[in-house]
C-alpha cells in the first residue's frame, strides 16, 4: 500500500507539471454570468479567499429535477440563512453553464471548513442517486472543470465528489452513481483529461511526462 501511495503521489505531481504547461490554454466555456443577479441576503456576504489557496474542484448535485434554475436554488439557500447560492458554477441538465459566485467567495458548500476553504463548487442540477447526468451536462461539466484545472494548475486528482470529503452530507452529493452503478466520476475525469491533453502543447517535455505517467499507472494496475 505504501508503494501504491508513493506511485499515486508521483503521478499527481507529473500531472500537475503537464497541466501547468496547459495553464490558460483551455478556453473558458460559454456560460451565463449571473453572479450579480442571483437572490442574495441583504446583509450577509461570504468571506473572500486568496486564489492561491484553491486546491480542489468539488462536484455536487441538487437532488432535484435537472431543470431547476440557479435562481431557484439561490432563493432556497438564502431562505435557509446562507448569504447566497453556495455553488460557484451551476450546470442544468441541458448543459447550460452559469457562473453563480465569484471564485474568491469562500462558500458554505460542505460541512467541512477545510474543503470550503480550498474548493471550487461545481453543481450539476439533478438527482444522480439512480441515474447519471445527461451527455450534455457531462460535457459542460468537463469543459468547466478542465478550464478551472488549467487556470489553477491542478491535476485531475483534484476532482472530488462532495461525498468523498463530506460523508455526513444527507443527500450523498453528487449522488450514488458518482462512484457506484454508472460510476460517472470516471468518464468525467477521463473527458477532463482529454480536454487538458488537447490544449497542452505537444513538445518533447510534455510527451516525456505523459509517457512517464503511463508507465507509473501500469505499475499500479
Amino acid at each position: 500500500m505504501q508503494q501504491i501511495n508513493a506511485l499515486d503521489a508521483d503521478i499527481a505531481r507529473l500531472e500537475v507539471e503537464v497541466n501547468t504547461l496547459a495553464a490558460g490554454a483551455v478556453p473558458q466555456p460559454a456560460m451565463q454570468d449571473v453572479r450579480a443577479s442571483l437572490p442574495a441576503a441583504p446583509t450577509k456576504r461570504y468571506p473572500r479567499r486568496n486564489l492561491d489557496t484553491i486546491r480542489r474542484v468539488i462536484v455536487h448535485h441538487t437532488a432535484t429535477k435537472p431543470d431547476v434554475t440557479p435562481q431557484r436554488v439561490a432563493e432556497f439557500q438564502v431562505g435557509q440563512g446562507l448569504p447566497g447560492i453556495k455553488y460557484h458554477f451551476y450546470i442544468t441538465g441541458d448543459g447550460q453553464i452559469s457562473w453563480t459566485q465569484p471564485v474568491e467567495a469562500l462558500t458554505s458548500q460542505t460541512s467541512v471548513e477545510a474543503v470550503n476553504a480550498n474548493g471550487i463548487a461545481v453543481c450539476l442540477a439533478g438527482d444522480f442517486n439512480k441515474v447519471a447526468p445527461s451527455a450534455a451536462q457531462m460535457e459542460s461539466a468537463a469543459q468547466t472543470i478542465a478550464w478551472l484545472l488549467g487556470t489553477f494548475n491542478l491535476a485531475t486528482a483534484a476532482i472530488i465528489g462532495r461525498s468523498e470529503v463530506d460523508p455526513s452530507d444527507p443527500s450523498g452529493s453528487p449522488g450514488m452513481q458518482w462512484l457506484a452503478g454508472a460510476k460517472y466520476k470516471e468518464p468525467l475525469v477521463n473527458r477532463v483529461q482529454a480536454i487538458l491533453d488537447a490544449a497542452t502543447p505537444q513538445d518533447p517535455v510534455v510527451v516525456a511526462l505523459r509517457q512517464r505517467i503511463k508507465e507509473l499507472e501500469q505499475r499500479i494496475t
Side-chain angles (χ1 to χ4, degrees):
M1 180 60 70
Q2 185 175 2
Q3 183 180 13
I4 292 176
N5 290 339
L7 290 172
D8 282 338
D10 286 341
I11 290 171
R13 177 180 55 79
L14 291 171
E15 285 179 337
V16 168
E17 289 186 40
V18 172
N19 292 344
T20 298
L21 295 173
V26 179
Q28 177 182 324
M31 60 181 65
Q32 294 181 342
D33 188 346
V34 295
R35 287 175 288 180
S37 61
L38 291 181
T43 59
K44 296 180 180 179
R45 294 291 183 271
Y46 285 118
R48 291 298 189 259
R49 60 186 174 183
N50 294 326
L51 293 181
D52 59 8
T53 64
I54 293 172
R55 294 290 181 271
R56 294 182 278 196
V57 174
I58 312 300
V59 180
H60 303 254
H61 78 168
T62 57
T64 64
K65 293 182 179 180
D67 60 353
V68 66
T69 65
Q71 288 78 10
R72 180 69 187 90
V73 173
E75 182 180 296
F76 174 76
Q77 292 179 348
V78 170
Q80 290 184 311
L82 295 178
I85 192 169
K86 59 185 180 181
Y87 311 119
H88 298 95
F89 297 90
Y90 187 93
I91 304 169
T92 48
D94 60 0
Q96 174 63 56
I97 308 167
S98 294
W99 195 340
T100 49
Q101 282 286 358
V103 177
E104 296 88 347
L106 198 166
T107 70
S108 305
Q109 59 173 301
T110 75
S111 62
V112 183
E113 291 184 6
V115 175
N116 297 342
N118 67 17
I120 298 176
V122 175
C123 183
L124 309 184
D127 185 338
F128 306 120
N129 283 312
K130 294 183 179 180
V131 299
S134 69
Q137 195 171 31
M138 286 281 283
E139 179 62 21
S140 290
Q143 295 286 344
T144 301
I145 295 172
W147 168 59
L148 292 171
L149 295 188
T151 299
F152 292 100
N153 298 336
L154 301 174
T156 54
I159 304 171
I160 306 293
R162 176 177 176 178
S163 58
E164 297 179 75
V165 289
D166 188 13
S168 64
D169 170 37
S171 74
S173 183
M176 294 176 63
Q177 301 299 310
W178 176 250
L179 295 177
K183 297 182 180 179
Y184 76 91
K185 177 180 181 178
E186 183 176 351
L188 177 62
V189 170
N190 289 342
R191 178 59 182 143
V192 170
Q193 188 62 61
I195 295 169
L196 290 169
D197 289 346
T200 307
Q202 297 298 308
D203 60 35
V205 174
V206 172
V207 172
L209 287 172
R210 285 181 177 155
Q211 181 59 37
R212 181 56 179 159
I213 289 171
K214 288 181 180 179
E215 291 172 356
L216 293 174
E217 289 175 338
Q218 289 172 354
R219 290 175 62 183
I220 292 176
T221 57

